[in-house]
Amino acid sequence: MIEDVPRRVAEQVRADFGLNISALEPVTHGADQHARLWLATTLDGGRYAVKLSGGGTAAGLVVTAYLADQGVPGIAAPLRTRDGGLAVDHDGCRLSVVPWVSDQRALDGPMTDAHWRAYGEVLAAVHAVPVTGELRRLLPAGGAAYPSIVASTRAVAERLRDPAGPLAAELAREWSAVADRMDVLVRGVERLAVDRRARLGPDVVCHGDPHLGNLLLGADGQVWLVDWDDAVLAPPECDLMFVVGGVLAFAPVSASAQEAALDGYGPVHIDRARLAWFLAVRALDDLSDWTRQALDPDAEATDRDRAARIVRGLVSDVGLVTLADMALRDLDRRS
């Protein structure tokens, strides 16, 4: 039985997308606090991802529709509304529908060599599409928000100087233990921002967040790259950093997996300066954002604990803060 908000969503999906929904099952994994996602089953047995987005823009839907039209593999194209749109307004939020292509997230495995190669092939195909004028208008530049990210990192560090409560005290200790790495990251991001402008690579369409939680697995090595809300225009390193190292502390990319993904991607020169810069920007953004969530007094205890666990992973020996620190120090040694 569909209840209240889901019922109204189902009614609007029927009215605007022409789908008769018999069940809506909430999907709870994911880090977007401004979105709700359901697995919808229709009366004829079809399955769809129904998403209600309260933040960002519809750029991700425009990108995936364009990529699908260009024949890029591994892209689930959004359904069109009866009047040809990609989404409709629902109580001030964007309501969109995409075919449900798989139940199996790459994060949950098993990820075969064929899957890794297909992952690389999808990234290469995305990066190879022509950038239209519409995409240039819609998509932000990857990493362009680095000044506000650096400022936010400094603000959170200042807040942790006088922690209130045991969880805040623990986070303060975690930050203190990696203070030298944080200093390397902040200085590296600000310094390389100037160098990056002088050594810009090609601006291509990038997913912006292609970690294994946004990759779905199918049979015979098929993959789908989903959740394009963070799509940007940037050099390929913005996406390739998720292959070279893996970014997620709890899902490091092995040498053999990296080799398979890059084999699927094809010949590429990875600029170490750009790679280090994107790693560092992402590390600072993730660390400050998850720490703020862990410190939020209005959040549920389970959500605060989850955010704190992610912070611990970020500053661990295999975490993104460590990966970015190593990349910047290695870059300094080579220069």
Side-chain angles (χ1 to χ4, degrees):
M1 192 66 136
I2 302 174
E3 300 177 358
D4 197 24
V5 172
R7 179 184 294 279
R8 291 190 293 109
V9 167
E11 290 172 351
Q12 187 155 15
V13 168
R14 177 171 48 86
D16 289 295
F17 292 90
L19 298 178
N20 291 309
I21 293 176
S22 59
L24 277 178
E25 178 184 344
V27 179
T28 56
H29 56 69
D32 188 350
Q33 296 180 309
H34 305 291
R36 295 182 67 180
L37 180 67
W38 294 271
L39 165 57
T41 303
T42 58
L43 292 175
D44 60 2
R47 302 171 84 212
Y48 299 87
V50 174
K51 187 173 186 179
L52 200 57
S53 302
T57 70
L61 296 171
V62 175
V63 170
T64 49
Y66 173 66
L67 293 175
D69 287 345
Q70 291 289 307
V72 174
I75 303 298
L79 268 63
R80 295 278 180 176
T81 64
R82 293 185 187 277
D83 62 4
L86 295 172
V88 293
D89 178 80
H90 181 88
D91 292 342
C93 296
R94 268 187 327 280
L95 181 62
S96 60
V97 181
V98 177
W100 188 274
V101 291
S102 173
D103 294 321
Q104 188 65 40
R105 291 193 306 162
L107 199 58
D108 302 322
M111 186 94 162
T112 65
D113 282 349
H115 286 127
W116 282 107
R117 281 192 293 274
Y119 175 42
E121 289 169 359
V122 169
L123 289 178
V126 170
H127 296 168
V129 297
V131 179
T132 65
E134 180 183 26
L135 292 181
R136 290 198 182 280
R137 289 192 300 273
L138 285 176
L139 296 182
Y146 82 88
S148 63
I149 291 170
V150 168
S152 178
T153 301
R154 288 175 169 146
V156 174
E158 184 62 30
R159 182 177 176 183
L160 289 174
R161 290 182 186 276
D162 186 23
L167 183 57
E170 180 197 346
L171 292 171
R173 289 192 294 271
E174 297 283 4
W175 276 59
S176 178
V178 294
D180 59 332
R181 297 178 198 173
M182 296 292 293
D183 186 52
V184 169
L185 264 58
V186 169
R187 287 189 289 106
V189 163
E190 294 182 322
R191 173 173 53 84
L192 284 175
V194 177
D195 294 343
R196 180 175 175 270
R197 282 194 290 270
R199 305 175 58 194
L200 276 177
D203 266 348
V204 301
V205 174
C206 286
H207 180 280
D209 197 26
H211 58 69
L212 300 189
N214 286 330
L215 193 71
L216 303 179
L217 306 182
D220 302 321
Q222 188 173 11
V223 300
W224 292 271
L225 191 55
V226 299
D227 197 351
W228 286 78
D229 289 346
D230 294 318
V232 293
L233 289 182
E237 287 84 359
C238 181
D239 280 346
L240 290 175
M241 69 175 173
F242 290 83
V243 174
V244 183
V247 174
L248 300 180
F250 51 88
V253 177
S254 67
S256 61
Q258 178 180 312
E259 182 180 359
L262 291 178
D263 180 60
Y265 190 89
V268 60
H269 168 70
I270 297 177
D271 186 288
R272 293 291 164 180
R274 288 198 294 266
L275 183 70
W277 190 80
F278 280 112
L279 279 169
V281 171
R282 174 72 184 225
L284 293 176
D285 194 19
D286 279 4
L287 187 61
S288 59
D289 185 53
W290 286 111
T291 302
R292 278 198 309 274
Q293 292 185 44
L295 295 173
D296 183 359
D298 297 324
E300 296 288 340
T302 53
D303 292 334
R304 296 183 66 190
D305 288 343
R306 173 174 178 259
R309 286 197 302 273
I310 293 173
V311 170
R312 295 183 200 108
L314 287 166
V315 300
S316 71
D317 289 343
V318 292
L320 183 53
V321 170
T322 303
L323 289 176
D325 173 72
M326 292 170 59
L328 287 168
R329 292 181 191 271
D330 182 62
L331 191 64
D332 286 342
R333 284 193 296 270
R334 291 170 182 250
S335 61

